[in-house]
Amino acid sequence: MVRSLVCSMLLFLAPWTAVADDDQRSMGLSPSEARAVRAVVEAQLKALAEDRDAQAFAYATPRIKSQFHDAGTFAQMVRNSYPMLIRPASISFFQAQIQQGIVAQAVQFRDREGRIWRAVYELQRQPDKSWRINGCAVAPDDESTTA
């Protein structure tokens, strides 16, 4: 179940480059939408770092919520499968983009052991116009691009 979610997101792990605000419009996201997408990912990461499981779970799409059923199960999965996302040494955000019709936010993490990781979050706009996270894939990053 989690493995299929990760596999589907690995398509996004090709090198990402920073995109200027003017280029964002051509990618289908306005600058304000790109900021809103980033804010959701930042808020979930902050909630996870502060052990506020219910708040972190609130940023998930209904599909993810139904998959994990409750905040505790979700947070435990994140801590077990993605420990590098919890209290990393540093975080750098790329510009949110639309890739193959999917809104994606790439984030580079340096864990406390100094390893570099690239996470790509899939986000979906909800009926109330808010953005929610529909999955995340993480892989080692070779730092060939900069955030």
Side-chain angles (χ1 to χ4, degrees):
M1 162 168 54
V2 172
R3 193 169 278 175
S4 66
L5 181 65
V6 170
C7 290
S8 69
M9 289 300 296
L10 286 175
L11 296 172
F12 296 110
L13 290 171
W16 286 57
T17 58
V19 178
D21 282 348
D22 288 340
D23 293 336
Q24 272 306 307
R25 289 191 236 310
S26 66
M27 305 283 308
L29 285 176
S30 71
S32 64
E33 289 173 318
R35 284 189 300 272
V37 163
R38 176 179 169 156
V40 169
V41 174
E42 285 178 315
Q44 186 180 63
L45 288 169
K46 184 175 189 234
L48 287 165
E50 295 172 354
D51 296 321
R52 292 184 293 117
D53 298 349
Q55 185 65 41
F57 193 53
Y59 294 107
T61 61
R63 184 181 74 81
I64 296 296
K65 288 178 179 178
S66 69
Q67 185 177 352
F68 291 100
H69 306 293
D70 62 71
T73 302
F74 171 77
Q76 191 60 44
M77 178 280 299
V78 173
R79 287 182 181 94
N80 289 340
S81 300
Y82 306 104
M84 69 289 292
L85 305 182
I86 310 299
R87 298 178 196 92
S90 67
I91 301 173
S92 298
F93 281 80
F94 292 79
Q95 287 290 335
Q97 297 183 8
I98 297 178
Q99 296 287 318
Q100 300 175 0
I102 297 173
V103 175
Q105 173 67 66
V107 184
Q108 188 177 67
F109 296 85
R110 182 178 305 274
D111 66 22
R112 296 202 178 274
E113 287 77 41
R115 292 180 301 248
I116 306 295
W117 302 90
R118 175 93 42 112
V120 180
Y121 290 84
E122 176 190 341
L123 289 96
Q124 293 179 346
R125 186 174 299 265
Q126 303 303 296
D128 68 358
K129 305 295 184 206
S130 65
W131 290 97
R132 294 294 176 253
I133 298 169
N134 195 51
C136 179
V138 179
D141 191 5
D142 65 6
E143 290 191 283
S144 62
T145 59
T146 57

